């Protein structure tokens, strides 16, 4: 399936999402913040198919991570997650760079569907 880089500072949610996506056969590399995710992305040689990142995180937020990822890896599909309306508004200016913004809280089925739809869009 796909290689997914996950950036989520909330440990329980990070584990939940990583397990859910692994159940669908994806290889998930989970990181605790944007800076850690950018380090992984920069050092990676195999390539990721998708970046799934929370917007609001310490050290480096998801918007800064998305901008850096889009600059360095223009073919990378980027999905943002947030539970905050103001953060969703911040992401609205990134329509050309990101695939979608997923509202938290989400169900297992919703996150799987959003990821699978984003990955399918690359094939079109």
């Amino acid at each position: 399936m796909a290689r997914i880089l996950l950036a989520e500072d909330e440990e329980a949610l990070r584990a939940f999402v990583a397990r859910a996506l692994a159940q669908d056969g994806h290889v998930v590399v989970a990181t605790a913040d944007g800076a850690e995710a950018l380090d992984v992305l920069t050092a990676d040689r195999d390539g990721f198919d998708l970046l799934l990142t929370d917007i609001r995180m310490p050290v480096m937020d998801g918007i800064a991570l998305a901008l850096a990822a889009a600059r360095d890896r223009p073919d990378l599909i980027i999905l943002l997650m947030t539970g905050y309306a103001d953060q969703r508004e911040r992401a609205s200016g990134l329509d050309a760079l990101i695939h979608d913004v997923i509202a938290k809280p989400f169900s297992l089925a919703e996150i799987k569907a959003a990821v699978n739809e984003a990955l399918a869009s690359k094939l079109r």
Side-chain angles (χ1 to χ4, degrees), residues 9-10 25 29 42 48 61 69-70 78 88 91 93 99 103 117 121:
D9 61 317
E10 191 177 318
V29 176
T42 302
F48 286 97
D61 72 9
I78 301 171
R88 191 175 182 93
H99 182 77
E117 189 277 326
S121 75

Short mmCIF file of all heavy atoms in Angstrom, two decimals, residues 9-10 25 29 42 48 61 69-70 78 88 91 93 99 103 117 121:
data_model
loop_
_atom_site.label_atom_id
_atom_site.label_comp_id
_atom_site.label_asym_id
_atom_site.label_seq_id
_atom_site.Cartn_x
_atom_site.Cartn_y
_atom_site.Cartn_z
N ASP A 9 0.92 15.44 17.90
CA ASP A 9 1.53 15.57 19.22
C ASP A 9 0.78 14.84 20.32
O ASP A 9 1.36 14.52 21.35
CB ASP A 9 1.71 17.05 19.60
CG ASP A 9 0.40 17.81 19.66
OD1 ASP A 9 -0.46 17.62 18.77
OD2 ASP A 9 0.22 18.60 20.60
N GLU A 10 -0.48 14.54 20.12
CA GLU A 10 -1.26 13.82 21.13
C GLU A 10 -0.98 12.32 20.99
O GLU A 10 -1.38 11.69 20.01
CB GLU A 10 -2.74 14.12 20.93
CG GLU A 10 -3.61 13.67 22.07
CD GLU A 10 -5.07 14.06 21.82
OE1 GLU A 10 -5.33 15.18 21.36
OE2 GLU A 10 -5.92 13.20 22.09
N GLY A 25 -2.97 -1.83 5.74
CA GLY A 25 -1.79 -2.27 5.01
C GLY A 25 -0.76 -1.18 4.73
O GLY A 25 0.24 -1.42 4.06
N VAL A 29 4.96 5.91 9.56
CA VAL A 29 6.03 6.42 10.41
C VAL A 29 5.42 7.56 11.21
O VAL A 29 4.98 8.56 10.64
CB VAL A 29 7.23 6.92 9.57
CG1 VAL A 29 8.30 7.53 10.47
CG2 VAL A 29 7.80 5.78 8.73
N THR A 42 13.19 14.72 5.52
CA THR A 42 14.46 15.14 4.93
C THR A 42 15.43 13.97 4.80
O THR A 42 16.13 13.84 3.79
CB THR A 42 15.09 16.27 5.77
OG1 THR A 42 14.16 17.35 5.83
CG2 THR A 42 16.39 16.75 5.17
N PHE A 48 7.73 9.13 0.77
CA PHE A 48 6.41 8.96 1.37
C PHE A 48 5.36 9.30 0.33
O PHE A 48 5.58 10.15 -0.54
CB PHE A 48 6.24 9.87 2.60
CG PHE A 48 7.01 9.40 3.80
CD1 PHE A 48 8.25 9.92 4.10
CD2 PHE A 48 6.48 8.41 4.61
CE1 PHE A 48 8.96 9.48 5.20
CE2 PHE A 48 7.19 7.96 5.72
CZ PHE A 48 8.43 8.49 6.01
N ASP A 61 4.43 23.75 13.81
CA ASP A 61 3.04 23.36 13.58
C ASP A 61 2.87 22.74 12.19
O ASP A 61 3.80 22.72 11.37
CB ASP A 61 2.08 24.53 13.82
CG ASP A 61 2.13 25.61 12.75
OD1 ASP A 61 2.78 25.42 11.71
OD2 ASP A 61 1.49 26.65 12.97
N ALA A 69 7.27 20.74 3.44
CA ALA A 69 7.11 19.48 2.71
C ALA A 69 6.74 19.73 1.25
O ALA A 69 7.29 19.09 0.34
CB ALA A 69 6.05 18.61 3.38
N ALA A 70 5.84 20.67 1.01
CA ALA A 70 5.41 20.98 -0.36
C ALA A 70 6.56 21.57 -1.17
O ALA A 70 6.69 21.30 -2.37
CB ALA A 70 4.23 21.94 -0.33
N ILE A 78 -0.71 15.96 0.95
CA ILE A 78 -0.73 16.48 2.31
C ILE A 78 -2.16 16.59 2.82
O ILE A 78 -3.00 17.22 2.19
CB ILE A 78 -0.04 17.86 2.38
CG1 ILE A 78 1.41 17.77 1.89
CG2 ILE A 78 -0.11 18.42 3.80
CD1 ILE A 78 2.10 19.09 1.72
N ARG A 88 -8.38 25.77 11.04
CA ARG A 88 -8.94 25.37 9.75
C ARG A 88 -8.92 26.57 8.79
O ARG A 88 -8.62 26.44 7.61
CB ARG A 88 -10.35 24.83 9.93
CG ARG A 88 -10.90 24.15 8.71
CD ARG A 88 -12.27 23.54 9.02
NE ARG A 88 -12.75 22.85 7.86
CZ ARG A 88 -12.57 21.56 7.62
NH1 ARG A 88 -11.90 20.82 8.47
NH2 ARG A 88 -13.05 21.02 6.53
N ALA A 91 -5.57 27.21 7.31
CA ALA A 91 -5.23 26.26 6.25
C ALA A 91 -5.93 26.57 4.93
O ALA A 91 -5.50 26.08 3.88
CB ALA A 91 -5.59 24.84 6.70
N GLY A 93 -5.86 29.02 3.03
CA GLY A 93 -4.99 29.64 2.05
C GLY A 93 -4.01 28.69 1.39
O GLY A 93 -3.26 29.07 0.50
N HIS A 99 -4.33 18.56 0.21
CA HIS A 99 -5.46 17.84 -0.36
C HIS A 99 -6.76 18.17 0.38
O HIS A 99 -7.78 18.41 -0.23
CB HIS A 99 -5.20 16.33 -0.34
CG HIS A 99 -6.30 15.54 -0.95
ND1 HIS A 99 -6.46 15.45 -2.31
CD2 HIS A 99 -7.32 14.84 -0.39
CE1 HIS A 99 -7.54 14.71 -2.56
NE2 HIS A 99 -8.06 14.33 -1.42
N ALA A 103 -11.53 17.31 10.05
CA ALA A 103 -11.96 17.87 11.34
C ALA A 103 -11.88 16.80 12.42
O ALA A 103 -12.30 15.66 12.23
CB ALA A 103 -13.38 18.40 11.22
N GLU A 117 -9.05 8.12 0.12
CA GLU A 117 -9.51 9.03 -0.94
C GLU A 117 -8.36 9.90 -1.42
O GLU A 117 -8.18 10.12 -2.62
CB GLU A 117 -10.67 9.90 -0.41
CG GLU A 117 -11.37 10.73 -1.50
CD GLU A 117 -10.65 12.03 -1.82
OE1 GLU A 117 -10.05 12.64 -0.90
OE2 GLU A 117 -10.66 12.44 -2.99
N SER A 121 -6.62 9.88 -5.19
CA SER A 121 -6.56 11.08 -6.03
C SER A 121 -5.23 11.19 -6.78
O SER A 121 -5.18 11.78 -7.85
CB SER A 121 -6.78 12.34 -5.19
OG SER A 121 -5.63 12.64 -4.42
#
